[in-house]
Short mmCIF file of all heavy atoms in Angstrom, two decimals:
data_model
loop_
_atom_site.label_atom_id
_atom_site.label_comp_id
_atom_site.label_asym_id
_atom_site.label_seq_id
_atom_site.Cartn_x
_atom_site.Cartn_y
_atom_site.Cartn_z
N LEU A 271 -1.12 -4.43 -18.44
CA LEU A 271 -0.30 -3.30 -18.00
C LEU A 271 1.11 -3.77 -17.71
O LEU A 271 1.32 -4.82 -17.08
CB LEU A 271 -0.91 -2.68 -16.74
CG LEU A 271 -2.33 -2.14 -16.83
CD1 LEU A 271 -2.75 -1.53 -15.51
CD2 LEU A 271 -2.46 -1.12 -17.95
N ASP A 272 2.07 -2.98 -18.16
CA ASP A 272 3.47 -3.26 -17.83
C ASP A 272 4.16 -1.93 -17.55
O ASP A 272 3.51 -0.90 -17.41
CB ASP A 272 4.17 -4.05 -18.95
CG ASP A 272 4.05 -3.36 -20.31
OD1 ASP A 272 3.71 -2.15 -20.34
OD2 ASP A 272 4.29 -4.01 -21.34
N GLY A 273 5.47 -1.95 -17.45
CA GLY A 273 6.21 -0.72 -17.24
C GLY A 273 5.90 -0.07 -15.91
O GLY A 273 5.68 -0.73 -14.90
N ALA A 274 5.84 1.29 -15.92
CA ALA A 274 5.66 2.05 -14.69
C ALA A 274 4.32 1.76 -14.03
O ALA A 274 4.23 1.68 -12.80
CB ALA A 274 5.79 3.54 -14.99
N ALA A 275 3.26 1.59 -14.84
CA ALA A 275 1.94 1.31 -14.27
C ALA A 275 1.94 -0.01 -13.52
O ALA A 275 1.41 -0.12 -12.41
CB ALA A 275 0.89 1.31 -15.37
N ALA A 276 2.53 -1.03 -14.13
CA ALA A 276 2.59 -2.34 -13.47
C ALA A 276 3.44 -2.28 -12.22
O ALA A 276 3.10 -2.88 -11.19
CB ALA A 276 3.13 -3.38 -14.44
N HIS A 277 4.54 -1.57 -12.28
CA HIS A 277 5.41 -1.44 -11.10
C HIS A 277 4.65 -0.79 -9.95
O HIS A 277 4.74 -1.26 -8.80
CB HIS A 277 6.64 -0.60 -11.45
CG HIS A 277 7.48 -0.27 -10.26
ND1 HIS A 277 8.37 -1.16 -9.69
CD2 HIS A 277 7.55 0.87 -9.49
CE1 HIS A 277 8.95 -0.60 -8.64
NE2 HIS A 277 8.47 0.63 -8.50
N TYR A 278 3.88 0.24 -10.25
CA TYR A 278 3.11 0.94 -9.22
C TYR A 278 2.09 0.00 -8.58
O TYR A 278 1.98 -0.08 -7.35
CB TYR A 278 2.43 2.16 -9.83
CG TYR A 278 1.40 2.79 -8.93
CD1 TYR A 278 1.76 3.53 -7.81
CD2 TYR A 278 0.04 2.65 -9.21
CE1 TYR A 278 0.81 4.11 -6.99
CE2 TYR A 278 -0.92 3.23 -8.40
CZ TYR A 278 -0.53 3.96 -7.29
OH TYR A 278 -1.48 4.53 -6.48
N LEU A 279 1.35 -0.71 -9.42
CA LEU A 279 0.29 -1.58 -8.89
C LEU A 279 0.85 -2.78 -8.15
O LEU A 279 0.31 -3.20 -7.11
CB LEU A 279 -0.62 -2.04 -10.03
CG LEU A 279 -1.43 -0.94 -10.72
CD1 LEU A 279 -2.19 -1.51 -11.91
CD2 LEU A 279 -2.39 -0.27 -9.75
N LEU A 280 1.94 -3.34 -8.66
CA LEU A 280 2.49 -4.56 -8.05
C LEU A 280 3.32 -4.28 -6.81
O LEU A 280 3.18 -4.96 -5.78
CB LEU A 280 3.34 -5.31 -9.08
CG LEU A 280 2.58 -5.99 -10.23
CD1 LEU A 280 3.56 -6.41 -11.31
CD2 LEU A 280 1.79 -7.19 -9.72
N ASN A 281 4.16 -3.26 -6.90
CA ASN A 281 5.15 -3.05 -5.83
C ASN A 281 4.76 -1.96 -4.83
O ASN A 281 5.24 -1.98 -3.69
CB ASN A 281 6.51 -2.71 -6.45
CG ASN A 281 7.02 -3.82 -7.35
OD1 ASN A 281 7.05 -4.98 -6.96
ND2 ASN A 281 7.39 -3.47 -8.57
N VAL A 282 3.91 -1.01 -5.25
CA VAL A 282 3.48 0.03 -4.33
C VAL A 282 2.12 -0.32 -3.74
O VAL A 282 1.93 -0.29 -2.51
CB VAL A 282 3.42 1.41 -5.04
CG1 VAL A 282 2.93 2.48 -4.08
CG2 VAL A 282 4.79 1.78 -5.59
N MET A 283 1.16 -0.67 -4.60
CA MET A 283 -0.19 -1.00 -4.13
C MET A 283 -0.33 -2.46 -3.72
O MET A 283 -1.33 -2.84 -3.11
CB MET A 283 -1.21 -0.66 -5.22
CG MET A 283 -1.23 0.80 -5.63
SD MET A 283 -1.53 1.93 -4.24
CE MET A 283 -3.17 1.44 -3.73
N ARG A 284 0.66 -3.30 -4.06
CA ARG A 284 0.66 -4.73 -3.69
C ARG A 284 -0.61 -5.43 -4.17
O ARG A 284 -1.23 -6.21 -3.45
CB ARG A 284 0.78 -4.88 -2.16
CG ARG A 284 2.00 -4.23 -1.55
CD ARG A 284 3.25 -4.93 -1.96
NE ARG A 284 4.44 -4.35 -1.32
CZ ARG A 284 5.68 -4.76 -1.56
NH1 ARG A 284 5.91 -5.73 -2.42
NH2 ARG A 284 6.70 -4.19 -0.96
N MET A 285 -0.99 -5.17 -5.42
CA MET A 285 -2.21 -5.77 -5.94
C MET A 285 -2.00 -7.22 -6.33
O MET A 285 -0.91 -7.63 -6.74
CB MET A 285 -2.71 -4.96 -7.14
CG MET A 285 -3.08 -3.53 -6.80
SD MET A 285 -4.10 -2.72 -8.05
CE MET A 285 -5.67 -3.54 -7.76
N LYS A 286 -3.06 -8.00 -6.21
CA LYS A 286 -3.03 -9.44 -6.51
C LYS A 286 -4.31 -9.81 -7.24
O LYS A 286 -5.26 -9.01 -7.31
CB LYS A 286 -2.88 -10.23 -5.22
CG LYS A 286 -3.97 -9.98 -4.20
CD LYS A 286 -3.66 -10.69 -2.89
CE LYS A 286 -4.79 -10.53 -1.88
NZ LYS A 286 -5.03 -9.11 -1.54
N PRO A 287 -4.38 -11.01 -7.85
CA PRO A 287 -5.60 -11.40 -8.57
C PRO A 287 -6.86 -11.24 -7.74
O PRO A 287 -6.90 -11.59 -6.56
CB PRO A 287 -5.32 -12.88 -8.90
CG PRO A 287 -3.83 -12.94 -9.04
CD PRO A 287 -3.30 -12.01 -7.98
N GLY A 288 -7.86 -10.66 -8.38
CA GLY A 288 -9.14 -10.40 -7.73
C GLY A 288 -9.29 -8.99 -7.20
O GLY A 288 -10.42 -8.54 -6.92
N ASP A 289 -8.19 -8.25 -7.06
CA ASP A 289 -8.27 -6.89 -6.55
C ASP A 289 -8.87 -5.95 -7.60
O ASP A 289 -8.60 -6.09 -8.80
CB ASP A 289 -6.87 -6.38 -6.16
CG ASP A 289 -6.37 -7.01 -4.87
OD1 ASP A 289 -7.17 -7.65 -4.18
OD2 ASP A 289 -5.17 -6.86 -4.58
N PRO A 290 -9.66 -4.96 -7.17
CA PRO A 290 -10.31 -4.04 -8.13
C PRO A 290 -9.45 -2.83 -8.44
O PRO A 290 -8.59 -2.42 -7.65
CB PRO A 290 -11.57 -3.62 -7.38
CG PRO A 290 -11.14 -3.60 -5.94
CD PRO A 290 -10.14 -4.74 -5.79
N LEU A 291 -9.71 -2.24 -9.59
CA LEU A 291 -9.14 -0.95 -9.94
C LEU A 291 -10.06 -0.29 -10.96
O LEU A 291 -10.86 -0.96 -11.63
CB LEU A 291 -7.71 -1.06 -10.46
CG LEU A 291 -7.46 -1.75 -11.80
CD1 LEU A 291 -6.08 -1.35 -12.32
CD2 LEU A 291 -7.50 -3.27 -11.67
N LEU A 292 -9.96 1.03 -11.07
CA LEU A 292 -10.76 1.80 -12.01
C LEU A 292 -9.87 2.25 -13.16
O LEU A 292 -8.74 2.69 -12.95
CB LEU A 292 -11.38 3.01 -11.32
CG LEU A 292 -12.43 2.70 -10.25
CD1 LEU A 292 -12.76 3.95 -9.44
CD2 LEU A 292 -13.69 2.11 -10.87
N LEU A 293 -10.40 2.14 -14.37
CA LEU A 293 -9.66 2.50 -15.57
C LEU A 293 -10.46 3.52 -16.38
O LEU A 293 -11.69 3.47 -16.40
CB LEU A 293 -9.40 1.27 -16.44
CG LEU A 293 -8.72 0.07 -15.78
CD1 LEU A 293 -8.69 -1.09 -16.77
CD2 LEU A 293 -7.32 0.41 -15.30
N PHE A 294 -9.76 4.42 -17.05
CA PHE A 294 -10.42 5.29 -18.02
C PHE A 294 -9.51 5.45 -19.22
O PHE A 294 -8.28 5.39 -19.10
CB PHE A 294 -10.81 6.64 -17.41
CG PHE A 294 -9.65 7.51 -16.99
CD1 PHE A 294 -9.26 8.60 -17.75
CD2 PHE A 294 -8.95 7.26 -15.81
CE1 PHE A 294 -8.20 9.41 -17.36
CE2 PHE A 294 -7.89 8.07 -15.41
CZ PHE A 294 -7.52 9.15 -16.19
N ASP A 295 -10.11 5.62 -20.39
CA ASP A 295 -9.35 5.58 -21.63
C ASP A 295 -9.46 6.84 -22.48
O ASP A 295 -8.98 6.86 -23.61
CB ASP A 295 -9.77 4.37 -22.47
CG ASP A 295 -11.26 4.40 -22.82
OD1 ASP A 295 -11.95 5.36 -22.42
OD2 ASP A 295 -11.73 3.44 -23.47
N ASP A 296 -10.13 7.90 -21.98
CA ASP A 296 -10.35 9.15 -22.72
C ASP A 296 -11.21 8.92 -23.96
O ASP A 296 -11.24 9.75 -24.86
CB ASP A 296 -9.02 9.80 -23.11
CG ASP A 296 -9.19 11.25 -23.54
OD1 ASP A 296 -10.12 11.91 -23.04
OD2 ASP A 296 -8.42 11.72 -24.41
N ARG A 297 -11.88 7.77 -24.01
CA ARG A 297 -12.73 7.46 -25.16
C ARG A 297 -14.15 7.11 -24.71
O ARG A 297 -15.12 7.65 -25.23
CB ARG A 297 -12.17 6.28 -25.95
CG ARG A 297 -10.76 6.47 -26.52
CD ARG A 297 -10.26 5.15 -27.09
NE ARG A 297 -8.96 5.24 -27.73
CZ ARG A 297 -7.80 5.06 -27.10
NH1 ARG A 297 -7.80 4.79 -25.80
NH2 ARG A 297 -6.65 5.14 -27.75
#
């Protein structure tokens, strides 16, 4: 992930290695 998604996770959610997240791909 980069761009806006990465900015949100890194700078707003302060995520670091080992932290969980849920993903969906519409597939």
